[in-house]
Amino acid sequence: MIASDLRSGVERLGDMIAEAKTIVPFTGAGISTECGIPDFRSPGGIWTRYRPIEFGEFVASQDARDESWRRRFAMEEIFAAARPGRGHRALASLYRAGKIPAVITQNIDNLHQASGFAAEHVIELHGNTTYARCIGCGQAYQLDWVKRRFIEDGAPNCTVCDEPVKTATISFGQMMPEEEMQRATALSRACDLFIAIGSSLVVWPAAGFPMMAKNAGARLVIINREPTEQDDIADLVIRHDIGETLGPFVGN
Ligand SMILES: [Zn+2]
């Protein structure tokens, strides 16, 4: 059912939240646009202007690694300045109230953690761009460390095993993280309300979770400005601004 207007949508959502025991939110780029973080996949987004650097190229070529880090540092002001939006804060309120065990996200911006979610309760399907990891041994590195090395010698290698260091994101051509996929699957099946927020739900595996939740008996809510691929199976569709829709649920 598509909400006829914002007010009736928020009202219906409020009822469903009140009736739910376990809510699992699934978030995409749309929840972070009011925080100044562009949707990389949208028309005019960075991925439509620059060809993405695939994981294989990153591993094989110092030039590709240098270019990848140049692009990341060019985005630093945007990521460093971003603060949680109304959507993040509303979910954090429901998390503190014990209604949300964990959030599943396609975003790499760390804003769920910044809003108050414990790191272990943010399931990042595409990783996190606010720190780096060695692709060999997994050693974590601060971006400041990478930047100092980068300025001196170009993209750095790990001080432990000498393999390249990369943002802790999942690149094109890289495997989906297995543990995160398993946890996201288990959560989707165990909730009684699944809320997809700011994702077009086209890209696998995003497309699979709403159906998984639905098949396991949960109610499904989709909040997105644009129609999504899964609107037909949703119990409630709210096609409005995410901040305005979730703003009323920001608590203390
Ligand atoms: Zn290493």
Side-chain angles (χ1 to χ4, degrees), residues 144-244:
D144 285 348
W145 178 90
V146 177
K147 194 166 191 178
R148 283 199 303 275
R149 299 293 175 105
F150 180 80
I151 289 165
E152 288 167 18
D153 293 318
N157 284 5
C158 179
T159 56
V160 180
C161 74
D162 205 36
E163 291 290 314
V165 171
K166 182 181 159 303
T167 54
T169 51
I170 307 298
S171 297
F172 287 99
Q174 207 170 357
M175 293 264 293
M176 291 301 294
E178 205 172 318
E179 190 196 327
E180 281 78 358
M181 286 296 294
Q182 284 173 5
R183 290 183 66 199
T185 300
L187 280 162
S188 302
R189 289 189 176 140
C191 66
D192 56 4
L193 178 60
F194 187 97
I195 311 180
I197 303 162
S199 169
S200 52
L201 304 174
V202 177
V203 185
W204 187 89
F209 293 117
M211 180 65 88
M212 227 180 260
K214 208 43 201 162
N215 286 344
R219 283 168 157 178
L220 172 63
V221 176
I222 295 175
I223 307 170
N224 200 48
R225 267 182 178 283
E226 311 294 328
T228 80
E229 295 280 307
Q230 315 284 328
D231 287 359
D232 289 349
I233 62 163
D235 298 277
L236 175 65
V237 177
I238 304 177
R239 282 187 195 151
H240 286 278
D241 179 80
I242 289 160
E244 280 179 36

Side-chain angles (χ1 to χ4, degrees), residues 35-170:
C35 314
I37 295 178
D39 181 351
F40 302 108
R41 294 172 200 264
S42 69
I46 205 162
W47 288 350
T48 60
R49 282 182 285 140
Y50 300 105
R51 191 179 62 83
I53 295 167
E54 295 201 7
F55 185 66
E57 296 173 72
F58 186 93
V59 173
S61 148
Q62 179 73 37
D63 284 347
R65 293 195 286 278
D66 289 347
E67 174 61 14
S68 171
W69 279 110
R70 254 192 305 277
R71 290 182 191 178
R72 176 61 187 83
F73 294 135
M75 296 289 294
E76 182 52 18
E77 276 182 38
I78 288 172
F79 282 114
R83 296 291 174 268
R86 288 168 290 179
H88 299 99
R89 288 188 282 134
L91 297 183
S93 299
L94 293 168
Y95 168 69
R96 277 191 292 271
K99 285 242 175 191
I100 292 177
V103 56
I104 308 168
T105 187
Q106 296 176 284
N107 299 337
I108 57 174
D109 54 30
N110 206 53
L111 289 176
H112 288 300
Q113 291 92 328
S115 74
F117 275 83
E120 69 263 31
H121 296 147
V122 183
I123 297 164
E124 296 174 316
L125 299 178
H126 295 167
N128 188 311
T129 194
T130 65
Y131 64 99
R133 271 193 195 286
C134 166
I135 63 170
C137 71
Q139 174 73 36
Y141 290 94
Q142 301 286 327
L143 293 193
D144 285 348
W145 178 90
V146 177
K147 194 166 191 178
R148 283 199 303 275
R149 299 293 175 105
F150 180 80
I151 289 165
E152 288 167 18
D153 293 318
N157 284 5
C158 179
T159 56
V160 180
C161 74
D162 205 36
E163 291 290 314
V165 171
K166 182 181 159 303
T167 54
T169 51
I170 307 298

